[in-house]
Amino acid sequence: VAKMITKFPNLMGYSLEENLKPMVQWLKELGMGDSPVAKMITKFPNLMGYSLEENLKPMVQWLKKLGMGDSQVAKMITKFPNLMGYSLEENLKPRVQWLKSLGLDDSQVAKTIAK
């Protein structure tokens, strides 16, 4: 906990009821257990400051449209939580379009992102 707070002291300013609990609940609803959620928060505590409605839910919906299932999305967030901080419009969508221009279809792009 001390390492996480040192890495991201703003975490202490977030509301338990408005930010932290809803975020953890949402991550669990995606299929993450307590241990993966704890590891993810330790790895990338900034995630706890992102808006569920404006950042995370749209990202997950977009990943699912690419063909990723809930378990793939949960695994990806656990392994690479910083990906959730990327801009869909400025980072991810242009890269996906580039992959598609190489001839990959949505399922191949989803598999590439999930690795």
Side-chain angles (χ1 to χ4, degrees):
V1 173
K3 183 179 177 182
M4 181 176 53
I5 293 170
T6 301
K7 187 175 178 181
F8 192 69
N10 291 351
L11 187 66
M12 298 307 293
Y14 293 140
S15 165
L16 188 59
E17 298 301 324
E18 292 179 26
N19 299 97
L20 303 177
K21 284 183 178 181
M23 177 70 73
V24 170
Q25 180 63 36
W26 182 76
L27 291 168
K28 288 181 177 184
E29 288 170 3
L30 282 177
M32 294 183 183
D34 288 338
S35 180
V37 169
K39 285 179 185 177
M40 189 242 3
I41 294 170
T42 302
K43 189 184 246 184
F44 193 66
N46 301 41
L47 185 68
M48 300 305 286
Y50 293 157
S51 166
L52 279 174
E53 299 303 322
E54 293 179 24
N55 301 100
L56 303 179
K57 287 181 180 181
M59 175 74 76
V60 168
Q61 289 171 348
W62 181 75
L63 291 168
K64 288 181 178 183
K65 284 182 185 177
L66 284 177
M68 293 178 77
D70 288 343
S71 63
Q72 286 177 305
V73 171
K75 183 178 177 182
M76 187 207 63
I77 295 172
T78 302
K79 288 176 98 174
F80 307 108
N82 56 327
L83 184 68
M84 299 303 284
Y86 295 165
S87 166
L88 275 174
E89 299 303 323
E90 294 178 21
N91 298 101
L92 299 179
K93 286 183 179 181
R95 282 160 182 78
V96 166
Q97 284 306 113
W98 178 76
L99 290 170
K100 288 181 178 183
S101 76
L102 296 175
L104 278 69
D105 62 26
D106 282 349
S107 66
Q108 290 169 318
V109 169
K111 287 178 186 174
T112 301
I113 293 172
K115 288 185 179 183

